[in-house]
Amino acid sequence: MTGVLSLLPEGRHGLLRPPPYGGAEDLAGYLATGGYAPPAEPGRLLDRIGAVGLRGRGGAGFPVAVKILAVRDASAPPVVVANGEEGEPGSVKDRWLLRHRPHLVLDGLRLAAAMTGAARCFVYLSDTLAEQAVRRAVAECPADPRIEVVHTRHSYVAGEETAVVRRIDGGQPLPTAKPPRPFEAGVGGAPTLVANVETLARIAVIQAHPGDAGAVAGAHLVTLSGTAGTAAALVEAPAGTHLKVLADLGGHGTAEAVLLGGLFGGLYGPGWTDLPLDHDRLGAAGGALGCGALHFLHPEDCPVAVAAAATAHLAAHSARQCGVCVSGTAALAGTLTAVTRGEAGHATTDRLRRWAGQLPGRGACGLPDAAARIVATLLTHFPDRIDAHRRAPCPACEAGRPHDGSRFTVPVP
């Protein structure tokens, strides 16, 4: 069972307020927290979001105010989408918010509509329990404009913003070529803001508690997991919290490495304990925070096996629309799987390095980029591990753990 814990200082407002009886927070409970308050002048709220530097929580960490401005200043009436399709197998934060605090997300959606001038809003998701909670909340929601709920099939790429638009417009949840991007031409051809549900929840808290705006913008929901049999945890942590603090909290104090950002941020070895929970500093270190999912590797774990499982999951979830993704991601996964079997050749490292350098930026979405980053960081932080598998698999690989995303999957609390 996944635990839920806030590390925010006492008195600070966050997102993990426990709902009564473990179920969804109802309208009365949410109103008691200051929710659905009459919005301030939308321009003032937008200025505040920009001033505190709120960044998107869907993976890329793009400045939220910049996205809102791009949609607001477009020439046609815009659309706003709450994106709750959580494709990363190691992340639970979005489904937790939709299941337990749906009004918080809807309030943020309402405010985003006010800031952009949108007349149509959507909640996009695949989780059945989340959908039930959201539909109940929509039925009692006092806010305008009207909110529509769109169900999609779950996949790694279904939450990519152009896949979101394509599905809402009646198509398959698959990425499309860019440009145009949704802020230029999205749902029904209208400029569209696709915002992660945690992002919208933080907008709602900033509106209700402006004195805490900076702390709210800097905090992150983080999913902690590992391969040592410890329970996973969903944690709200202040900006700059060191990964070592989170590892110790989750029972991963003996970990020797971490897989960052779900399957997006790559592997990090020696020195990972000094990394902070910060987009820019993780990026400067060659990693990425992504969706905030952290998977810790213990001494008995093999980084090559973890990389093989991660790339195999990505290859299996390819939309199969881009030849470079289909062939390149599968080649990385197949080669790493062969390494775990003791089948590495003398040219394996050079081949992996070449492919990892060629893939980024060549697909319609970031899936091949994620696979390439995993391999590139494996080669950077564990350069000796592939050679060590040249004659025979290591004990961890011989144990035969699954080479797919199931090893990263975390249950929603």
Side-chain angles (χ1 to χ4, degrees):
M1 172 62 77
T2 310
V4 177
L5 178 67
S6 174
L7 298 184
L8 302 183
E10 187 174 354
R12 290 290 188 185
H13 294 90
L15 309 188
L16 294 185
R17 183 186 305 274
Y21 313 115
E25 182 179 43
D26 61 15
L27 178 61
Y30 184 62
L31 291 174
T33 71
Y36 292 123
E41 168 60 37
R44 290 177 56 194
L45 177 58
L46 180 55
D47 288 344
R48 184 176 296 124
I49 290 169
V52 297
L54 178 64
R55 300 173 73 156
R57 296 301 197 270
F62 194 78
V64 174
V66 175
K67 287 186 72 172
I68 292 174
L69 280 169
V71 173
R72 187 197 69 177
D73 295 342
S75 57
V79 173
V80 178
V81 180
N83 185 4
E85 169 49 15
E86 198 164 29
E88 291 285 0
S91 180
V92 299
K93 66 183 183 69
D94 296 336
R95 284 168 291 165
W96 188 94
L97 285 170
L98 291 170
R99 289 184 185 187
H100 296 289
R101 301 209 68 193
H103 281 292
L104 183 64
V105 176
L106 297 184
D107 198 1
L109 187 61
R110 165 191 75 115
L111 294 166
M115 287 185 285
T116 59
R120 299 182 70 195
C121 294
F122 295 87
V123 180
Y124 175 85
L125 43 67
S126 66
D127 182 69
T128 300
L129 294 178
E131 182 178 0
Q132 292 170 358
V134 168
R135 289 191 181 277
R136 286 193 298 267
V138 168
E140 60 181 6
C141 176
D144 288 324
R146 183 168 62 92
I147 297 170
E148 301 174 51
V149 179
V150 175
H151 185 93
T152 189
R153 72 168 185 266
H154 173 73
S155 75
Y156 188 86
V157 300
E160 194 274 339
E161 61 177 6
T162 62
V164 173
V165 168
R166 192 176 190 176
R167 173 68 187 94
I168 292 175
D169 278 342
Q172 294 297 313
L174 301 172
T176 59
K178 298 174 280 289
R181 292 187 175 274
F183 76 87
E184 298 167 311
V187 175
T192 301
L193 174 69
V194 180
N196 172 262
V197 296
E198 182 189 348
T199 306
L200 294 171
R202 294 201 176 277
I203 289 174
V205 176
I206 288 171
Q207 157 71 10
H209 306 284
D212 276 356
V216 173
H220 288 268
L221 293 182
V222 185
T223 309
L224 310 178
S225 63
T227 51
T230 55
L234 174 62
V235 177
E236 186 163 20
T241 302
H242 277 72
L243 301 195
K244 175 61 174 171
V245 172
L246 296 171
D248 289 341
L249 179 71
H252 303 289
T254 64
E256 295 185 343
V258 61
L259 179 62
L260 297 164
L263 307 184
F264 176 77
L267 284 159
Y268 210 99
W272 71 266
T273 55
D274 297 325
L275 296 175
L277 204 61
D278 180 271
H279 278 286
D280 292 334
R281 292 176 67 181
L282 285 176
L289 180 57
C291 65
L294 304 176
H295 184 82
F296 294 100
L297 282 65
H298 291 253
E300 63 271 27
D301 297 317
C302 173
V304 179
V306 171
T311 53
H313 180 79
L314 292 170
H317 280 253
S318 168
R320 308 195 71 78
Q321 298 182 131
C322 306
V324 68
C325 175
V326 173
S327 60
T329 306
L332 291 176
T335 301
L336 286 177
T337 298
V339 173
T340 67
R341 295 171 179 158
E343 299 169 1
H346 289 283
T348 297
T349 299
D350 289 340
R351 189 163 60 246
L352 287 170
R353 183 174 288 109
R354 183 175 67 255
W355 290 339
Q358 292 172 342
L359 274 181
R362 298 184 63 191
C365 70
L367 186 147
D369 300 57
R373 189 194 296 266
I374 288 169
V375 173
T377 53
L378 173 71
L379 296 173
T380 297
H381 294 282
F382 305 98
D384 58 329
R385 294 300 186 101
I386 292 175
D387 287 341
H389 285 73
R390 186 165 291 160
R391 288 175 296 277
C394 71
C397 290
E398 282 189 315
R401 293 205 61 183
H403 277 191
D404 57 35
S406 64
R407 70 185 294 155
F408 307 111
T409 301
V410 176
V412 183

